[in-house]
Amino acid sequence: MASVWYTGTASKRIITSEQWTLAGFTQPDTVWSKANGYSIPESEFTAPELTFLGQQSGFQTGAADGPRPGAAIVANPGRPVNEERLSLALAGLSATYAPLGSGRPKGATVALIGDSFTAQNAPPGGYGPIAGAQWYPANGWWDWADIFLGKRTKRAGTFGVGGQTTAQILARITDVTSLSPKPAYCVVQGGTNDTNLNVASATTIANQQATCEALLAAGIIPILTSIPPVPYTSPGQLASVSAVLAWQKLYARQTSGVIYCDWRRYTAKPDGTWRTGMSDDTIHPNSVGCAVLGKALADTLSPLIPAVDTLGSVNNDPKLINPNPTLQGTGGTPLGAGVTGVTPDSWRCEAWLGDTVVTAVSSVEEEALTGERSWKIVLSGGSIQLRTQPATGWAAGDQVYAECEFEFDPTQPFSNIDKINLQIDIPAGATGSSQDPNAPSSDAANHSAASWMKGVLRTPVFTIPAGSTALSAKFIVRRVTGTTPAATFKVRRFALKKV
């Protein structure tokens, strides 16, 4: 009788009910372990389910005699699982991960576990409310990764505790493995505090390996990140970091189901410290460093997460509040002082916060391939906002959020931009406080590499307070004074919606 065999190295392998559902099937949690000899009869699965299992890492179908008798592990000869290495590159940034056989894991839920680097990321629903405001931070590397992934993921939890070593992170791994439903992935970050405290590299390695194996046993794919740049440069500390980094790469290559993201390749100088402009305290990444870390992580995850477009493409969605999210027409009014050109119907293009030196050209284009409308701005000076302010379609008590797609011109430097922000505003006079749920914005100078600055911004969800008399959504770009050339960017599918 043919069986489905688990051929990996973990003591237990689980396909969770959520993973089955995301793949389009209905099955309870399915476990391969020593108790069932790491095999389940094929008769317990449908033909499509068998195809799905055959595409997952560490599985072999159609074998009557197990490829895992006793302690022996024999990989499927037709599907190498440990030797492939895929490099993903975009505009000079890439991340390397160990493959998962010829199959790719399904699902888009992600948990984060680590130390203060992980704690920099906002909770899944954003920070706040504080004084009526909710926001996502610019110094959260996962918040940037989520932008670059087009908001295709769902965060299952952020489990970062400042100052912790890899031993303490391992002790908390049940925070992730006990989640219900279980996430498809977990980003494992740590090692900086081990280096500072002179923890032996062998101890750090053992802790991180045990963390990954606990996740694999729970049916969760670990995404192991390299130790970020550190200011600790004694010979012993440098040797320890080098040993851990070498092990991480080898472990990911040799262990089916473990993904590796090499952060240091894009953020560390040759001496192992942060590249200029990426850290304000020499230990933690600032908004620039987080953007680069997020891009490397997004490149790692992008081929693994289903390419689902999360934005709408019509103007008649019943959940829409603003009348023209697809940016049709050229009759928007008014154009603010210093702005020339045209705007989409029902939209405004004007200086942000009363900036009197704004200089910009606004135009509307149609994409040749998709027919989608793009709102293009060439900003030569000042700060600008693209704004919609619907008079109807909303009421106090409604739960709302804003979202839009953006892209900067890849041929220009990004050092002339120091803020990108999406927000929803309700006048302070109506509620006593301004509602300002921000998507990741960046207020630090010295940004780099506009060529990969494109993605999807989405605000947290918030409830419109009683007494509100106006509601608007804004996409804001602030240019650094005196820089050249002009900042050129496009916005597409800009919606203000009810939950």
Side-chain angles (χ1 to χ4, degrees):
M1 178 177 63
S3 297
V4 178
W5 289 87
Y6 171 57
T7 64
T9 60
S11 61
K12 183 186 294 183
R13 180 69 161 91
I14 302 173
I15 301 292
T16 66
S17 59
E18 184 194 35
Q19 289 172 310
W20 281 115
T21 300
L22 290 170
F25 306 113
T26 302
Q27 282 275 13
D29 287 358
T30 309
V31 181
W32 285 260
S33 67
K34 186 176 181 180
N36 60 13
Y38 301 99
S39 68
I40 298 176
E42 288 191 350
S43 59
E44 296 190 18
F45 304 100
T46 66
E49 288 169 348
L50 289 173
T51 299
F52 166 73
L53 288 170
Q55 294 172 342
Q56 307 311 298
S57 65
F59 285 104
Q60 180 176 341
T61 61
D65 296 321
R68 187 174 177 167
I73 302 174
V74 181
N76 185 340
R79 187 184 299 116
V81 295
N82 295 327
E83 297 180 4
E84 180 187 6
R85 186 176 181 182
L86 178 61
S87 177
L88 306 173
L90 179 58
L93 291 175
S94 66
T96 302
Y97 69 98
L100 308 176
S102 62
R104 291 176 174 175
K106 310 298 181 183
T109 53
V110 182
L112 317 176
I113 191 167
D115 52 36
S116 56
F117 283 75
T118 297
Q120 287 187 201
N121 294 279
Y127 286 125
I130 298 175
Q134 297 166 260
W135 69 94
Y136 294 117
N139 65 339
W141 43 263
W142 176 258
D143 298 304
W144 281 108
D146 200 26
I147 288 173
F148 298 136
L149 286 167
K151 296 290 181 177
R152 285 148 49 192
T153 66
K154 179 180 179 181
R155 186 122 49 102
T158 301
F159 304 100
V161 178
Q164 286 204 334
T165 64
T166 54
Q168 293 167 310
I169 294 168
L170 170 60
R172 293 188 293 109
I173 194 60
T174 53
D175 290 345
V176 177
T177 57
S178 64
L179 289 172
S180 182
K182 289 182 173 60
Y185 306 92
C186 179
V187 180
V188 178
Q189 173 274 317
T192 297
N193 296 306
D194 291 48
T195 307
N196 181 36
L197 297 172
N198 295 304
V199 173
S201 59
T203 301
T204 301
I205 289 169
N207 291 335
Q208 289 208 322
Q209 182 171 351
T211 299
C212 291
E213 289 180 352
L215 292 168
L216 287 170
I220 301 169
I221 302 298
I223 305 165
L224 183 61
T225 62
S226 60
I227 299 177
V230 293
Y232 316 121
T233 56
S234 72
Q237 290 170 327
L238 291 175
S240 178
V241 170
S242 295
V244 173
L245 293 174
W247 168 80
Q248 287 178 327
K249 294 180 180 181
L250 182 63
Y251 178 65
R253 291 186 64 188
Q254 294 183 342
T255 306
S256 178
V258 176
I259 301 169
Y260 177 66
C261 179
D262 189 353
W263 273 346
R264 291 175 68 91
R265 180 179 176 186
Y266 312 106
T267 57
K269 293 192 290 189
D271 64 358
T273 61
W274 282 98
R275 287 172 54 192
T276 302
M278 291 189 179
S279 175
D280 298 331
D281 64 1
T282 73
I283 298 175
H284 301 90
N286 60 17
S287 58
V288 178
C290 283
V292 177
L293 295 176
K295 184 61 175 68
L297 189 56
D299 282 352
T300 302
L301 280 171
S302 187
L304 305 174
I305 292 177
V308 177
D309 186 349
T310 63
L311 297 180
S313 56
V314 297
N315 282 347
N316 58 358
D317 184 335
K319 293 184 178 180
L320 283 170
I321 300 175
N322 61 318
N324 185 22
T326 61
L327 310 176
Q328 303 299 307
T330 56
T333 57
L335 287 170
V339 182
T340 60
V342 297
T343 65
D345 295 347
S346 303
W347 286 89
R348 304 182 185 192
C349 182
E350 57 202 2
W352 177 57
L353 292 181
D355 196 330
T356 59
V357 295
V358 65
T359 305
V361 178
S362 172
S363 60
V364 181
E365 302 176 347
E366 184 170 295
E367 303 292 327
L369 181 63
T370 64
E372 290 181 343
R373 304 277 285 185
S374 297
W375 189 355
K376 180 179 179 181
I377 301 294
V378 180
L379 179 62
S380 300
S383 307
I384 200 165
Q385 64 182 17
L386 313 184
R387 180 163 67 101
T388 180
Q389 186 169 326
T392 61
W394 59 273
D398 286 343
Q399 291 186 303
V400 299
Y401 65 95
E403 61 184 11
C404 74
E405 186 177 16
F406 73 97
E407 179 177 2
F408 279 81
D409 184 346
T411 64
Q412 65 184 5
F414 200 45
S415 56
N416 56 355
I417 298 296
D418 71 353
K419 188 177 187 71
I420 305 169
N421 197 57
L422 177 66
Q423 68 184 50
I424 299 174
D425 277 351
I426 295 176
T431 65
S433 63
S434 175
Q435 295 288 340
D436 184 14
N438 298 324
S441 60
S442 185
D443 300 324
N446 301 319
H447 288 253
S448 59
S451 57
W452 45 265
M453 282 301 298
K454 61 180 179 180
V456 173
L457 293 173
R458 182 175 293 131
T459 69
V461 173
F462 78 103
T463 303
I464 300 176
S468 301
T469 59
L471 175 70
S472 65
K474 305 174 181 179
F475 179 77
I476 300 164
V477 174
R478 184 170 66 196
R479 189 171 176 277
V480 178
T481 303
T483 56
T484 57
T488 302
F489 63 91
K490 294 181 180 181
V491 171
R492 305 180 185 91
R493 295 185 292 173
F494 191 161
L496 178 58
K497 304 177 77 172
K498 298 179 184 177
V499 173

